[in-house]
Amino acid sequence: MKKTNEIPKIPAEKFRFVGDENRLHDRKFDTKEVSYLADAFGRFCKNKSSVVATIIILLLVLYAMLVPIFCETNYSKSLTDTTYLQYTKLLPKSSLFTNMGLYFWDGASEQTLGEANFQALQAIGVETGYDVVKGEVTTSTDEKGKVTYTSRVDSYISNGFVYMTLTPQEYESIQQWQLENGKQVIYPAITDKSQTDANIWYETNKKGVPQLDKEGNFQNIYRDSGNDGEYDSLRIEGDPGLENPEAEDRYRYATITGDSNNVSYKCRIFKYTYFMYRYGAEPSFLLGTNALGQDILTRLASGARFSFVLAICVSAINLFIGAMYGAIEGYYGGAVDMVMERIVDVLARIPFMVVATLFQLHLAKKVGVVPSLFFAFILTGWIGMAATTRMQFYRFKGQEYVLAARTLGAKDRRIMFRHIFPNSLGTIVTTSVLVIPSVIFSESSLTYLGIVNLESSTMTSVGTMLANGRQYLSSYPHIILFPSIFISLLMISFNLFGNGLRDAFNPSLRGVEE
């Protein structure tokens, strides 16, 4: 077979000239330069879980900062208001659900009561007109004939009554409020029948709850309308002073004590309407109240604010001390590192619990509980940060760019904090961020064990609320539930947030497309 090397001929009409505008060549980059922080922020935003965690953390911080400002009231945190202490362990209640008639988040819970207790609740409803029992009532009888009632009980109205001693000004103010708003606060009936200067209509127990007979009627209904020792058999509904202002001198709902210079009025007060008188709204606590009668919503926000401030300050100081200490160790190494490590070994062997306990026993008497706790966290808290920084400096100080910088005459300080430290920033920042939930948990442990007491009328912490609510876990779980949810969200979110920061500040990932 004959081989040929002839080039095939292509017709000239298939060729055409290429213009300069279509000529291929390298083009200049039109994109803008991206700074280190901008690139880190872009890579952080690609981590969806970290973004969600950041949003949750911001919401928790805003909750801690804003709620105590906009929702702060004297009943939210006061331990000296003996009246408000009557509103203890109220269940969470939202007006949204109550207005819709839904049996959810309405301040009520299902309870099984004996006959006497159930009748006491019925008596409150009959006297005040507020329904204590919600929904259907289920009755059951045991083998011994004992009857029990199962129903949903409103924790706000079942608070019932309280006996209070009022000044003349307070008594007149309540009377005026009753006339203006058409709601009764002061109710008749004093347990001591021998008192003649107050109208006694029916018997009550020591808590001021009327007693019902088996037919559901008030026991011993009587009233001395003329102060002549003869008791009427009929009961006037409502407040006579409210229905008939001219009869105020005739009908007295208080026992008057003292002389003309120091007069006081002992009254039976309905707690529900008294709250409306004092604070201008019906009692409704979104997260309920604790065992001291404090609003959990604002109390938790106040405690979270303290915990955040304490943890952030501790983290920032430990970051500064640990970074400086670890950078010197890791960069110079040798004898310097050996001596500094021995100092760290001595401090690291001191248990934090021992340090915190000793500081609370001795230092707290001079500087206070919070400063002594702050010093305990700082004394050994920077050791972990120093170890992390030291490890990163040992990792990067032998790299080529460090050798190049040293060859060009860069000083040690510039090499440490201009070249090595930025490459270690991802791990260091992640460690410092995780210190925040760690400090909060440590404070919770100290409070739980009773080593630190941060409870006062103006201050608390999340750990303190957890410690105070543990004894009500079975009976009133909402007291410890919401602080637990808060600290759980905080811990999970900070871990995810720290992982996102670690990846975002890692220079080796710069420019890498996922």
Side-chain angles (χ1 to χ4, degrees), residues 87-93 105 107 109 155-156 285-291 294-297 300 465-466 469-470 472-485:
Y87 301 92
T88 60
K89 294 172 282 191
L90 298 180
L91 299 178
K93 181 179 180 180
W105 214 277
S109 63
S155 61
Y156 290 75
F285 301 96
L286 188 62
L287 303 184
T289 61
N290 60 13
Q294 297 161 327
D295 181 17
I296 294 179
L297 177 69
L300 178 59
M465 298 186 68
L466 289 172
R470 69 182 184 273
Y472 304 104
L473 183 60
S474 59
S475 55
Y476 299 97
H478 71 281
I479 296 178
I480 196 174
L481 173 64
F482 297 108
S484 301
I485 293 176

Side-chain angles (χ1 to χ4, degrees), residues 31 60 72 130 147 177 184 213 220 252 258 321 331 364 396 427:
T31 58
L60 294 179
E72 187 173 5
Y130 290 89
V147 181
W177 186 88
Q184 189 170 349
D213 55 23
N220 299 330
R252 289 179 180 172
I321 298 175
Y331 183 78
F396 292 111
T427 304

Side-chain angles (χ1 to χ4, degrees), residues 125-140:
V126 172
E127 184 181 19
T128 63
Y130 290 89
D131 295 330
V132 185
V133 180
K134 296 185 176 181
E136 298 181 355
V137 179
T138 304
T139 60
S140 60

Side-chain angles (χ1 to χ4, degrees), residues 2 9 11 28 74 77 84 139 158 202 210-211 259 262 267 269 277 337 343 345 383 423:
K2 186 179 180 181
K9 295 182 179 181
K28 182 180 180 181
N74 58 342
K77 60 183 181 179
Y84 192 74
T139 60
S158 62
Y202 35 75
Q211 305 297 295
D259 51 26
N262 188 17
C267 306
I269 301 294
Y277 157 72
D337 182 31
I343 298 175
D345 289 340
I383 294 177
N423 289 278

Side-chain angles (χ1 to χ4, degrees), residues 374-395:
F374 187 76
F375 292 150
F377 277 117
I378 294 176
L379 181 64
T380 58
W382 56 269
I383 294 177
M385 186 65 62
T388 301
T389 307
R390 173 178 175 269
M391 179 182 64
Q392 294 299 313
F393 267 71
Y394 267 112
R395 175 185 176 186

